[in-house]
Amino acid sequence: MKEQVTPEHIYLSRREVLKRAGVLLASMMVSSACCAPESPTPEPSSTPALTRQPGDYTGVTDEFGDPLTPLEKARRFGNYYEFTRSKEGITELAQHLVTSPWQIEVGGLVRNPKVFDLDDLRQFGEEERIYRLRCIEAWSMVIPWLGFPLHRLLEVVEPTSEAKFVRFEALYDPKQLPGQDPEQYAEWLQAAPEPEGCACNVMGEDVDPANSPYAWPYVEGLRLDEAMHDLTLLATGMYGKPLPPENGAPVRLVVPWKYAFKGLKAVVKIDLVAERPLSFWNTAIPEEHGFYANVNPDVPHPRWSQGREFRFLGQDPEPILPTLPFNGYAAEVASLYEGMDLVENY
Ligand SMILES: Nc1nc2c(c(=O)[nH]1)N[C@H]1C(S)=C(S)[C@@H](COP(=O)(O)O)O[C@H]1N2
Ligand SMILES: [Mo]
C-alpha cells in the first residue's frame, strides 16, 4: 500500500472536526450520568457510542462519520490463529466449525456460577453497536456488532468482593481447530513457510510466528471495571446477522478501545479471578502485547508506529487515518486509567 497516493490531509482534517464533535457529545452524556446511586460492583457508564436498530446499512457511519467496512472485507480479512496464520485463509477453514449447541461456563469468584447456552443469552437482549476495531498490526475496520454489554451477564452471576479481573477462554478443540494441533501446524509450516497474507503485518514488517510458543486455548483478560464498562460487548452478530464463524461465532468479546487481540473469539468460559490472567499474546510475545493493550498512538509497537492505521473500506488503496487515543473512546474510558502510566502499562 502506497501512502503518498492517499489524499490524507483532506480526510484527516474532516475527521479532526468530527472527532471534536464526538468528544463533546460524549462528555455531555457522561456528565448527565454523574449522579447514579452507588453500588458494590463498578457502575457501568453511559453509552455514547452509536446504538441503533439493525437494518439497512447504506450510508451508515460511526459517530465520527466514518463509513462502515464492507461485510465481505470484514469476513475475508482477520486473525484467527486456531485456524491459520493466514489473514485471508480463515473464512474457508472456519465454515465447518460447530457453533451450536454451545455453552459458556461462567464461574470463579461469583455467588451464582452458571452455564449459559445460546438461548439463555437472549435474556440479556440484543442491540446494535457500531464500533471501530483497531488491530495492533495498524489496520482497522468499522463494524456494526449485535450483542449485549457484558455487565448484564456479570450482574447475574454476582462477582464477589475478591473478584478483581475477568478471564476469558476460547474453544479448545484440536480436531476442529487445526492451529491447535501441533502436528498439523508443523506440516503447514513445512508446506508453506510464508503463506500469502501471513507472517507480516500490513505495514510490511516481518513476523515469525513459528518462534512463538503458543499456549492454547486462546485466553484474554480484563480488569473488572473494564469488563463492567458499558462499551464492553459480548457480540453474537454483525451486520444484522448471526456472527460468521470466521469472526468468532457464536459469541465473541469486543472491547473497542483496546487492540483487537483482546476481543477473544468463540468464548466458552468466563471466570472472575483475583489475579491478572495470563493471556495468549501477552504470554507468547509480551514485549509486543501488553495486558492493557489500550489503543495508544503515542506508544509505538516495538516494530512499527501506532500513530496511524489503514482503514479498511474495500478501496485500493485503503485510506490512512491517524490513530486516536483509546481508539476514539477516550471520553468514555480514559477515567478508568486516571493516574496510571500508560507507557509502562501498554
Ligand atoms: N480465539 C481467537 N480470538 C481472536 C484471535 C484469535 O486468533 N483467536 N485473534 C484476535 C485478533 S489479533 C484480531 S485482529 C481480531 C480479528 O477479528 P476479526 O477477524 O473479526 O476482524 O480477533 C481477535 N480474537
Ligand atoms: Mo489483531
Side-chain angles (χ1 to χ4, degrees), residues 151-177:
H151 66 75
R152 289 195 195 141
L153 181 148
L154 295 178
E155 280 150 11
V156 165
V157 297
E158 294 184 48
T160 67
S161 56
E162 289 93 68
K164 301 287 183 256
F165 294 90
V166 185
R167 179 185 182 276
F168 303 85
E169 195 176 302
L171 182 64
Y172 178 73
D173 186 353
K175 287 210 176 69
Q176 290 203 79
L177 303 170

Side-chain angles (χ1 to χ4, degrees), residues 74 77-82 133 135 137 139 141 143 145 170 218 246-247 252 260-261 263-266 281:
F77 188 98
N79 279 310
Y80 207 158
Y81 273 59
E82 283 90 332
L133 176 130
C135 175
E137 298 161 324
W139 53 266
M141 302 188 184
I143 296 180
W145 301 104
Y218 198 103
E246 57 272 32
N247 298 98
R252 64 122 20 117
F261 71 85
L264 175 143
K265 296 173 175 178
W281 283 114

